Amino acid sequence: MPSVGKFYNLPYMRQSKTVLSVCALAGLELEIPEYKHFEDNKKPEFLAKFPIGKIPAFEGANGLNLSEGAAIARYLAGLAPNSGLLGTTPEEAALVDQWVHFAETEIAMQNDTIWAMVSNHIPYNKGFHTKVADHQMRSLTSLETYLSTRTFLVGERITLADITAASVLQRVVTVTADAAVRSKLVNTIRFLETIVHQPKLEAIFGPVEYVEKALQWVPPKKEKEPAPPAAPKEKKEKEKPKKVADDDDEDDNLVPEEPKAKNPLDLLPKSPFNLEDWKRAYSNKDTRGTDGSLEWFYANFDKEGFSVWRVDFKYNEELTLVFMSSNQIGGFFNRLEASRKYLFGSVGVLGENNASIISGALILRGQDAKPVVDCAPDFESYEYKKLDVFENQEDKTFFEGALAWDLEVSGKKWADGKNFK
Amino acid sequence: MLPNIIQILSAAAIAGLELDLKPFELGVTNKSPEYLDKFAMGKIPAFESNDGFSLIEGASIARYVASLAPESGLLGDSVKDAAQIDQWIHFVEHEINAYTDLISQLVKGFFPEKSYFSREKTYNEHVHKSLFERQERSLKFLEQSISTHEFLVTNKITLADVVVAAVIQRAAGITLGAAERAFYPNIFAHYAKVAADPRIKAIFGAAEFVEVPLAFAKVD
């Protein structure tokens, strides 16, 4: 079969996997010439065909020269309408479009930005990193919900949308979607595995490498630095950051993981109160009333091993729309992820647009809130007050209201909330 | 108006199609159960056809609208034209507009006016500079490519021209001041031509170009 054209690319790029997968399913033959990045794409012959100077690039046998992975993939998919890769109706084609665009702009872009920062291709900034990661997480959560009732993104068979999303997700699970995050993206991971294991695509995608812990930035060593922390430095190379699909990146060496320090919360004496059991009780039972989760709580709580706290946002005058404040709680909870084992929260927005407060309750390991919450860079934006829910009636009322989502403070009623569990 | 809205309205205008623009309140309309029923992600822009087909993602909506009127030439006259239009749209969205967005968020500290997350923590001039350099590299390529054609793909306006012009209009309001714009005469000549097309002139509106690029303003 004659080839439809030449495809200049680097095989590990997600766009390459997408284009090659399209050809495999569309039954198209593609020629892959020898290609040396940073050399061949600077030559006049290359630039004459592809002024953008980037890869991937496609040189059609019919004289069409095309840049931009997504455009190449769609063009090739369009050459084989019977493949169904672009759906079978204009509406399905538009939906395929929609998902490709969503995956690229709402998930991949964020992933690339974070990768570029943690590998020092652009300067690192923790606030920016957090913001971008939050954005990506919202998108992944939407995708997760959508995939909870479907196998494929559009219609009942594989399309370009699925291939593109899978190639994006394959990268995401090596950078930001670590074990903790993936536990909340069960359907998304199931989807990824389904696509990368399609018989014709398995060899193209290769193995999916799941990162244990999201890539973090390691500040470069300064000249005169004090000795590294007591814990032995692990030079074990766990995560291999895949090269970014950007043509000005050089090969990067592996970034060694930070030494694992023991969490003092794990060294506390064993407690009969099991936080996971509590979370299950809270999720499965009604909060108030007979055989409710509050009843379970009072029967099982261990005041020595755990404590209950009231949390209030310090800058309520800055809050505007209720849904934005709700998102803020969500963001705060995302950043508390590292303390998942030690924390339960039920925090809400009380009041109305432009007249609201953020307030709620936390149940945490130990007798001090700070070691549990200080993994979140913005923990100091909140005030923490220890509660005695057994002896103090006011504290008890507050706690129960926060858990039952009917808390009222200073006349402000609970409008929306989030749980950390 | 953001590029994704401009491109949808322009596609409809040039295609001679009418769009019913629904009243919309951000944070209210897109949180209502009726909206979320159709558009589960709660995002805008969102499109709903008369027979109940729903779509999100500005670029996808614009392309679908354009595809309903093939005689308009918005998607070119051949499969190759369509692919090249695709290519340009994708390029300016990812390699120019994405950086305008990121820089805009950086200098505005991500939240309007006051912020729970101290703005000083999220602004970083090295990140800003790095992002702008990437945008500049893309603008250089665009400048060179635009010089050889009247319109980007065919001999008349296509969706690619509309999107490029909209993205450039936005950049000229955020990252490109007068001095920066002077480096890209071809780009801005193309912009002027596209934005002056009588069918879409009102959509592009009176663009507010900045004298100097937006900078981070420290809060006292």
Side-chain angles (χ1 to χ4, degrees), chain B residues 20-74:
Chain B
D20 184 10
L21 300 178
K22 293 292 194 198
F24 183 89
E25 202 190 326
L26 180 62
V28 179
T29 314
N30 61 317
K31 293 274 156 175
S32 69
E34 306 81 59
Y35 190 91
L36 291 171
D37 234 16
K38 289 181 274 216
F39 309 110
M41 312 255 162
K43 293 179 71 192
I44 49 154
F47 170 82
E48 187 186 357
S49 76
N50 292 329
D51 45 15
F53 167 65
S54 56
L55 205 55
I56 54 168
E57 299 303 299
S60 305
I61 297 169
R63 183 182 294 109
Y64 177 68
V65 167
S67 75
L68 298 176
E71 8 29 276
S72 67
L74 277 169

Side-chain angles (χ1 to χ4, degrees), chain A residues 67-68 74 91 97 104, chain B residues 56-57 63-64 86-87 90:
Chain A
S67 298
E68 299 301 300
R74 182 183 294 111
E91 286 70 32
D97 235 10
E104 292 201 316
Chain B
I56 54 168
E57 299 303 299
R63 183 182 294 109
Y64 177 68
D86 239 5
Q87 169 196 277
H90 195 268

Side-chain angles (χ1 to χ4, degrees), chain A residues 51-52 54 62 66-68 74 91 97-99 101 104 106 122-123 125 142 313 318 323 328 335, chain B residues 27 41 43 53 56-57 60 63-64 80 86-87 90 93 95 110 115-116 124 126-127 130 141:
Chain A
I52 297 176
K54 297 183 68 173
N62 58 4
L66 212 50
S67 298
E68 299 301 300
R74 182 183 294 111
E91 286 70 32
D97 235 10
Q98 168 194 282
W99 285 111
H101 196 265
E104 292 201 316
E106 304 289 344
I122 61 178
N125 178 284
S142 294
F313 183 54
E318 291 184 353
F323 90 91
Q328 177 181 313
R335 290 183 282 281
Chain B
M41 312 255 162
K43 293 179 71 192
F53 167 65
I56 54 168
E57 299 303 299
S60 305
R63 183 182 294 109
Y64 177 68
K80 282 195 216 171
D86 239 5
Q87 169 196 277
H90 195 268
E93 285 202 322
E95 306 290 347
F110 290 95
S115 163
Y116 78 83
N124 179 295
H126 301 294
V127 176
S130 207
F141 281 122

Side-chain angles (χ1 to χ4, degrees), chain A residues 190-210:
Chain A
R190 186 249 313 143
F191 164 80
L192 170 60
E193 289 286 325
T194 304
I195 304 304
V196 304
H197 286 119
Q198 299 280 296
K200 288 188 182 168
L201 309 185
E202 220 160 355
I204 296 167
F205 277 96
V208 181
E209 279 157 30
Y210 291 105

Side-chain angles (χ1 to χ4, degrees), chain A residues 116-138:
Chain A
M117 279 199 293
V118 300
S119 47
N120 293 307
H121 288 103
I122 61 178
Y124 185 77
N125 178 284
K126 189 167 175 111
F128 193 37
H129 179 168
T130 306
K131 268 311 304 175
V132 174
D134 280 354
H135 184 154
Q136 189 193 56
M137 193 62 207
R138 283 196 298 276

